[in-house]
Amino acid sequence: MRKYLVEVPEDVAKRLERSGATSMHIDNQLLVIRPDDSTALIPQLHFRSFGTLAVLFTLVFLAFIKWGTKAPFVLPWTGEYSISSSIALLSMVSGVVSFAAAFIRQKITKQGPARNFTWRSLLPLVVACAMIIAIIALGLGWLIDQLFPGLGLDQYTTTVLVFVSLCIVNYLLINLAYTLSPGVVINLMTIMIIGGVGVAMLTNSSKDWWRYNFSFLGTHDSESAWQFNITLIFAGMLMATLVDYLFVNLAKQYRNWKVTSLRWLLLALAANIAGIGLFPNDPKYHWLHDQIAMWLVYLLWILIVIVRWCLPKVTTQFLKVSYAIGGVIVLDYFMFKVVRYLSLTAFELFAFILAFAWVLLLFQYIESLLPSGKEIVPVKLVPIKKQNQ
């Protein structure tokens, strides 16, 4: 067997040396050199990067409950000066500050995945993170309250619990900032929409909301209206952020009026989603709300029809799925408007689920068209000559 020597640029060799032992394998005719320790590929965070802020917020919390309030020594899990609400609020603020700091650091140093996102992406990303933290924290708080009714902890135990929670949240949010990608933003948008709408359904004071319509969750008759409306507003902003990122990078390879038209239609779709939350189905905005909701459906139909010509390298399989979803939405509308078989709530729910599923598929397809962003370096295979013994 003939042996070869692999020659790589000097800077690449130094980076590989810092990663420790390396190995080489063939992946579908690709020669891949990577560290043996897979954890070397994960961003390494020192305690000070996520723990400093946690310590600061924990000390503020301890000082507040001991000297700033008349809170009892044993704090209840729910209620006034509760443990769950304190953890939710502090985790949300601390996590958002940690994420924003990591994002800004990458933009300034021009290192890390966040450098590919625009500055205007920061606000919707921060809001999405804050909402997801709040949804998860409140959900876990509700679950623990159901499992341990009447639970209470003393101030010092609560302080330790707050500190651990803040460390975990800060660590996860900083890692999120250093692994930011279109796929991550899609997941954030999915979690935020499903979580926000789900919480609005569960916490709604009127359990018969479904007898009216889906938009009832955002009206003044619903106690969870603010959750529902804010979810839609910032989901639209996050979708606009994702569209902005995808098409700015897509324009590097595909720059024509067709791609630009697709971009503006998707931005209009995002604006309609935000508009439904901005103008709820109250008597004051009823007509405007209905017009925005119907244009949401019209835009979706237009997108499904024109994607054949506007989306680069579109596949037959994607078109079949798109037309199938579009056909089911048309059938859904026919069964509601003409046959009167479906209720307004059923029509809206089916249309929302199908439309959301198709938009996610479209974003994933566009993401696959983007440049991989992988660094390609020259490698030379030099045969090792046999030495005469």
Side-chain angles (χ1 to χ4, degrees), residues 54-72 75 81 86 90 155-156 158-160 162-163 166:
V55 171
L56 178 62
F57 274 80
T58 302
L59 292 175
V60 171
F61 169 75
L62 181 60
F64 180 74
I65 61 173
K66 282 187 69 67
W67 300 291
T69 67
K70 296 181 180 179
L75 299 174
Y81 305 121
S86 298
L90 291 172
Q155 293 180 354
Y156 300 111
T158 301
T159 302
V160 173
V162 167
F163 173 71
L166 293 182

Side-chain angles (χ1 to χ4, degrees), residues 22-272:
T22 58
S23 60
M24 186 168 56
H25 67 273
I26 298 175
D27 183 9
N28 193 24
Q29 297 184 346
L30 298 177
L31 194 62
V32 180
I33 303 175
R34 55 172 292 167
D36 289 340
D37 184 8
S38 58
T39 58
L41 302 175
I42 303 173
Q44 302 298 311
L45 300 179
H46 298 288
F47 175 79
R48 64 176 180 272
S49 61
F50 62 88
T52 303
L53 200 60
V55 171
L56 178 62
F57 274 80
T58 302
L59 292 175
V60 171
F61 169 75
L62 181 60
F64 180 74
I65 61 173
K66 282 187 69 67
W67 300 291
T69 67
K70 296 181 180 179
F73 181 73
V74 176
L75 299 174
W77 184 260
T78 58
E80 190 177 9
Y81 305 121
S82 66
I83 301 171
S84 61
S85 60
S86 298
I87 292 176
L89 178 61
L90 291 172
S91 297
M92 186 169 60
V93 177
S94 181
V96 161
V97 171
S98 299
F99 177 87
F103 184 96
I104 293 171
R105 189 182 302 115
Q106 293 178 71
K107 291 292 292 182
I108 293 174
T109 60
K110 296 182 179 180
Q111 294 181 351
R115 72 184 187 278
N116 297 319
F117 286 80
T118 59
W119 281 106
R120 57 181 174 269
S121 305
L122 180 58
L123 177 60
L125 287 172
V126 162
V127 172
C129 291
M131 290 185 65
I132 291 171
I133 292 171
I135 290 169
I136 294 175
L138 292 175
L140 288 175
W142 175 84
L143 179 62
I144 292 175
D145 182 55
Q146 298 300 309
L147 294 174
F148 308 100
L151 175 65
L153 299 173
D154 65 84
Q155 293 180 354
Y156 300 111
T157 305
T158 301
T159 302
V160 173
L161 185 60
V162 167
F163 173 71
V164 172
S165 301
L166 293 182
C167 284
I168 293 173
V169 171
N170 291 351
Y171 182 85
L172 293 176
L173 266 292
I174 294 174
N175 267 288
L176 180 68
Y178 280 104
T179 55
L180 207 56
S181 67
V184 170
V185 178
I186 290 173
N187 291 336
L188 286 176
M189 185 173 66
T190 304
I191 295 171
M192 187 172 68
I193 292 178
I194 295 176
V197 173
V199 169
M201 290 179 180
L202 293 173
T203 59
N204 191 5
S205 58
S206 175
K207 301 304 179 184
D208 292 333
W209 64 268
W210 56 273
R211 296 183 183 275
Y212 301 93
N213 52 54
F214 189 53
S215 299
F216 177 84
L217 294 171
T219 63
H220 61 77
D221 294 323
S222 171
E223 288 185 1
S224 59
W226 68 271
Q227 299 168 351
F228 182 80
N229 293 329
I230 286 179
T231 296
L232 292 179
I233 291 170
F234 286 106
M237 290 179 61
L238 196 60
M239 180 176 170
T241 298
L242 185 60
V243 171
D244 184 52
Y245 173 88
L246 290 173
F247 281 85
V248 165
N249 288 277
L250 193 65
K252 296 175 182 177
Q253 288 184 322
Y254 309 99
R255 183 183 291 274
N256 54 60
W257 67 269
K258 295 180 180 179
V259 174
T260 303
S261 300
L262 184 61
R263 177 182 184 177
W264 284 108
L265 284 171
L266 285 171
L267 287 174
L269 192 70
N272 274 263

Side-chain angles (χ1 to χ4, degrees), residues 295-315:
W295 265 104
L296 186 67
V297 178
Y298 297 152
L299 282 171
L300 189 71
W301 283 339
I302 293 172
L303 281 166
I304 290 176
V305 170
I306 71 166
V307 75
R308 180 187 192 96
W309 298 278
C310 294
L311 187 63
K313 297 182 179 180
V314 62
T315 63

